[in-house]
Amino acid sequence: MMNWLTALEHEARTLLEELDTHPEARRLFDGSVDKDRYVHYLIQTYHYARWTTPLMAEAGRRMKRLGLHPQLGNLLLQKSNEERGHERWLLADLKNLGWSADRVERQMPTPAVTAYVAWNRFTSRCGRPEAFLGTAYVLEYLSVHRASQSVERMLAANTIPNIRKAVTFLKAHGTEDERHVEELTSLLSPLIDREEQTALLLSARTTRVLYLGLFT
Protein backbone atom coordinates (compact mmCIF):
# COMPACT_ATOMS: atom_id res chain seq x y z
CA MET A 1 0.00 0.00 0.00
CA MET A 2 1.42 3.38 -0.96
CA ASN A 3 1.10 6.27 1.48
CA TRP A 4 -1.32 9.00 0.53
CA LEU A 5 1.28 11.52 -0.73
CA THR A 6 2.74 8.85 -2.97
CA ALA A 7 -0.79 8.16 -4.20
CA LEU A 8 -1.23 11.88 -4.89
CA GLU A 9 1.94 11.97 -6.97
CA HIS A 10 0.78 8.78 -8.71
CA GLU A 11 -2.31 10.62 -9.98
CA ALA A 12 -0.12 13.38 -11.42
CA ARG A 13 2.32 10.91 -13.00
CA THR A 14 -0.56 8.94 -14.47
CA LEU A 15 -1.87 12.11 -16.12
CA LEU A 16 1.53 12.65 -17.75
CA GLU A 17 1.48 9.09 -19.08
CA GLU A 18 -2.05 9.46 -20.41
CA LEU A 19 -1.26 12.76 -22.09
CA ASP A 20 1.89 11.34 -23.66
CA THR A 21 -0.22 8.69 -25.39
CA HIS A 22 -3.03 11.09 -26.37
CA PRO A 23 -2.54 12.13 -30.04
CA GLU A 24 -3.60 15.77 -29.56
CA ALA A 25 -1.71 16.33 -26.32
CA ARG A 26 1.41 14.65 -27.71
CA ARG A 27 1.47 17.18 -30.56
CA LEU A 28 1.56 20.01 -28.04
CA PHE A 29 4.36 18.41 -26.06
CA ASP A 30 6.54 17.50 -29.04
CA GLY A 31 6.11 20.86 -30.76
CA SER A 32 4.29 19.56 -33.83
CA VAL A 33 0.93 21.10 -32.85
CA ASP A 34 -0.62 23.30 -35.56
CA LYS A 35 -2.17 26.71 -35.03
CA ASP A 36 -5.80 25.56 -34.82
CA ARG A 37 -5.06 22.87 -32.25
CA TYR A 38 -2.91 25.23 -30.18
CA VAL A 39 -5.63 27.88 -30.27
CA HIS A 40 -8.15 25.28 -29.10
CA TYR A 41 -5.88 24.31 -26.20
CA LEU A 42 -5.38 27.94 -25.15
CA ILE A 43 -9.11 28.71 -25.32
CA GLN A 44 -10.05 25.71 -23.20
CA THR A 45 -7.28 26.55 -20.74
CA TYR A 46 -8.67 30.09 -20.54
CA HIS A 47 -12.13 28.76 -19.74
CA TYR A 48 -10.88 26.93 -16.65
CA ALA A 49 -8.05 29.26 -15.63
CA ARG A 50 -10.38 32.25 -15.34
CA TRP A 51 -12.09 30.49 -12.42
CA THR A 52 -8.93 29.51 -10.59
CA THR A 53 -8.46 32.75 -8.67
CA PRO A 54 -12.02 33.23 -7.36
CA LEU A 55 -12.57 29.57 -6.51
CA MET A 56 -9.24 29.16 -4.74
CA ALA A 57 -9.97 32.33 -2.76
CA GLU A 58 -13.41 31.00 -1.81
CA ALA A 59 -11.90 27.70 -0.69
CA GLY A 60 -9.23 29.47 1.37
CA ARG A 61 -11.69 31.82 3.07
CA ARG A 62 -14.07 28.94 3.84
CA MET A 63 -11.27 26.87 5.36
CA LYS A 64 -10.38 29.74 7.66
CA ARG A 65 -14.03 30.37 8.51
CA LEU A 66 -14.47 26.68 9.42
CA GLY A 67 -11.23 26.64 11.41
CA LEU A 68 -9.65 24.05 9.13
CA HIS A 69 -5.85 24.12 8.92
CA PRO A 70 -5.25 27.91 8.85
CA GLN A 71 -1.88 27.34 7.15
CA LEU A 72 -3.52 25.52 4.24
CA GLY A 73 -6.29 28.12 4.07
CA ASN A 74 -3.63 30.81 3.82
CA LEU A 75 -1.86 28.75 1.15
CA LEU A 76 -5.01 28.70 -0.99
CA LEU A 77 -5.38 32.47 -0.57
CA GLN A 78 -1.70 32.89 -1.48
CA LYS A 79 -2.15 30.72 -4.56
CA SER A 80 -5.23 32.66 -5.61
CA ASN A 81 -3.14 35.83 -5.54
CA GLU A 82 -0.33 34.15 -7.49
CA GLU A 83 -2.79 33.00 -10.17
CA ARG A 84 -4.50 36.38 -10.43
CA GLY A 85 -4.39 37.72 -13.99
CA HIS A 86 -3.05 34.54 -15.57
CA GLU A 87 -6.15 34.33 -17.77
CA ARG A 88 -5.01 37.64 -19.28
CA TRP A 89 -1.77 35.96 -20.38
CA LEU A 90 -3.92 33.48 -22.29
CA LEU A 91 -5.92 36.28 -23.91
CA ALA A 92 -2.66 38.01 -24.87
CA ASP A 93 -1.29 34.80 -26.40
CA LEU A 94 -4.52 34.31 -28.33
CA LYS A 95 -4.54 37.93 -29.49
CA ASN A 96 -1.09 37.36 -30.99
CA LEU A 97 -2.59 34.41 -32.87
CA GLY A 98 -5.39 36.57 -34.29
CA TRP A 99 -8.12 35.94 -31.73
CA SER A 100 -9.82 38.87 -29.99
CA ALA A 101 -11.02 38.56 -26.40
CA ASP A 102 -14.65 38.79 -27.56
CA ARG A 103 -14.12 35.97 -30.01
CA VAL A 104 -12.53 33.83 -27.32
CA GLU A 105 -15.43 34.47 -24.95
CA ARG A 106 -17.90 33.27 -27.57
CA GLN A 107 -16.22 29.85 -27.79
CA MET A 108 -17.88 27.14 -25.72
CA PRO A 109 -15.87 25.21 -23.15
CA THR A 110 -15.73 21.46 -23.68
CA PRO A 111 -17.96 19.34 -21.41
CA ALA A 112 -14.84 18.27 -19.49
CA VAL A 113 -13.86 21.87 -18.78
CA THR A 114 -17.41 22.67 -17.68
CA ALA A 115 -17.33 19.66 -15.35
CA TYR A 116 -13.90 20.66 -14.00
CA VAL A 117 -15.14 24.14 -13.07
CA ALA A 118 -18.34 22.72 -11.54
CA TRP A 119 -16.40 20.20 -9.46
CA ASN A 120 -14.05 22.79 -8.01
CA ARG A 121 -16.96 25.18 -7.42
CA PHE A 122 -18.68 22.43 -5.43
CA THR A 123 -15.67 21.58 -3.27
CA SER A 124 -14.91 25.26 -2.63
CA ARG A 125 -18.44 26.27 -1.68
CA CYS A 126 -20.17 23.14 -0.37
CA GLY A 127 -17.77 20.21 -0.15
CA ARG A 128 -14.37 19.93 1.49
CA PRO A 129 -12.52 23.12 0.52
CA GLU A 130 -9.08 21.59 1.13
CA ALA A 131 -9.79 19.33 -1.87
CA PHE A 132 -8.79 22.19 -4.18
CA LEU A 133 -5.20 21.53 -3.15
CA GLY A 134 -5.43 18.14 -4.89
CA THR A 135 -6.43 19.94 -8.08
CA ALA A 136 -3.61 22.45 -7.66
CA TYR A 137 -1.04 19.69 -7.11
CA VAL A 138 -1.89 17.85 -10.34
CA LEU A 139 -1.92 21.00 -12.49
CA GLU A 140 1.33 22.34 -11.06
CA TYR A 141 3.02 18.95 -11.41
CA LEU A 142 1.94 18.89 -15.05
CA SER A 143 3.34 22.38 -15.64
CA VAL A 144 6.70 21.47 -14.10
CA HIS A 145 7.12 18.42 -16.33
CA ARG A 146 5.63 19.57 -19.63
CA ALA A 147 5.18 23.36 -19.97
CA SER A 148 8.79 24.42 -20.61
CA GLN A 149 9.36 21.40 -22.86
CA SER A 150 6.34 22.33 -24.97
CA VAL A 151 7.51 25.92 -25.34
CA GLU A 152 11.03 24.92 -26.36
CA ARG A 153 9.80 22.47 -28.98
CA MET A 154 7.15 24.77 -30.43
CA LEU A 155 9.71 27.55 -30.77
CA ALA A 156 12.20 25.18 -32.37
CA ALA A 157 9.61 23.92 -34.86
CA ASN A 158 8.45 27.48 -35.57
CA THR A 159 5.48 26.29 -37.63
CA ILE A 160 2.87 28.56 -36.01
CA PRO A 161 3.00 32.20 -37.17
CA ASN A 162 3.98 34.58 -34.36
CA ILE A 163 4.47 31.68 -31.94
CA ARG A 164 7.24 33.49 -30.05
CA LYS A 165 4.65 36.00 -28.84
CA ALA A 166 2.06 33.34 -28.01
CA VAL A 167 3.70 31.21 -25.30
CA THR A 168 3.46 33.58 -22.32
CA PHE A 169 1.16 31.36 -20.27
CA LEU A 170 3.09 28.12 -20.75
CA LYS A 171 6.48 29.76 -20.34
CA ALA A 172 5.55 31.37 -17.02
CA HIS A 173 4.05 28.21 -15.56
CA GLY A 174 6.98 26.05 -16.49
CA THR A 175 9.39 28.21 -14.49
CA GLU A 176 7.15 29.07 -11.52
CA ASP A 177 5.47 25.82 -10.59
CA GLU A 178 8.47 23.70 -9.52
CA ARG A 179 8.76 25.70 -6.29
CA HIS A 180 4.98 25.48 -5.85
CA VAL A 181 4.95 21.67 -6.01
CA GLU A 182 7.72 21.40 -3.41
CA GLU A 183 5.98 23.88 -1.11
CA LEU A 184 2.64 22.12 -1.47
CA THR A 185 4.12 18.68 -0.75
CA SER A 186 5.81 20.01 2.37
CA LEU A 187 2.63 21.60 3.71
CA LEU A 188 0.47 18.56 2.95
CA SER A 189 2.81 16.11 4.70
CA PRO A 190 1.35 16.70 8.21
CA LEU A 191 -2.22 15.85 7.11
CA ILE A 192 -3.20 12.63 8.88
CA ASP A 193 -7.00 12.76 8.73
CA ARG A 194 -8.14 10.03 6.32
CA GLU A 195 -11.18 12.00 5.14
CA GLU A 196 -9.02 14.99 4.26
CA GLN A 197 -6.54 12.77 2.45
CA THR A 198 -9.37 11.10 0.57
CA ALA A 199 -10.83 14.48 -0.44
CA LEU A 200 -7.52 15.65 -1.90
CA LEU A 201 -6.95 12.37 -3.72
CA LEU A 202 -10.46 12.41 -5.18
CA SER A 203 -9.99 15.96 -6.44
CA ALA A 204 -6.61 15.06 -7.92
CA ARG A 205 -8.13 12.03 -9.67
CA THR A 206 -11.08 14.07 -10.96
CA THR A 207 -8.69 16.66 -12.37
CA ARG A 208 -6.63 13.92 -14.03
CA VAL A 209 -9.66 12.37 -15.69
CA LEU A 210 -11.19 15.64 -16.84
CA TYR A 211 -7.99 17.30 -18.07
CA LEU A 212 -7.81 15.00 -21.07
CA GLY A 213 -11.06 16.64 -22.22
CA LEU A 214 -9.23 19.88 -23.00
CA PHE A 215 -7.98 18.21 -26.15
CA THR A 216 -11.31 16.83 -27.36
Side-chain angles (χ1 to χ4, degrees), residues 141-166:
Y141 194 99
L142 172 62
S143 292
V144 167
H145 291 87
R146 291 295 182 272
S148 294
Q149 165 191 310
S150 299
V151 171
E152 291 171 3
R153 292 179 178 177
M154 281 192 290
L155 294 181
N158 199 28
T159 56
I160 300 175
N162 215 26
I163 186 61
R164 294 188 178 279
K165 294 184 178 180

Side-chain angles (χ1 to χ4, degrees), residues 113-125:
V113 171
T114 299
Y116 166 89
V117 174
W119 168 256
N120 286 292
R121 183 182 289 121
F122 164 73
T123 59
S124 298
R125 296 179 181 177

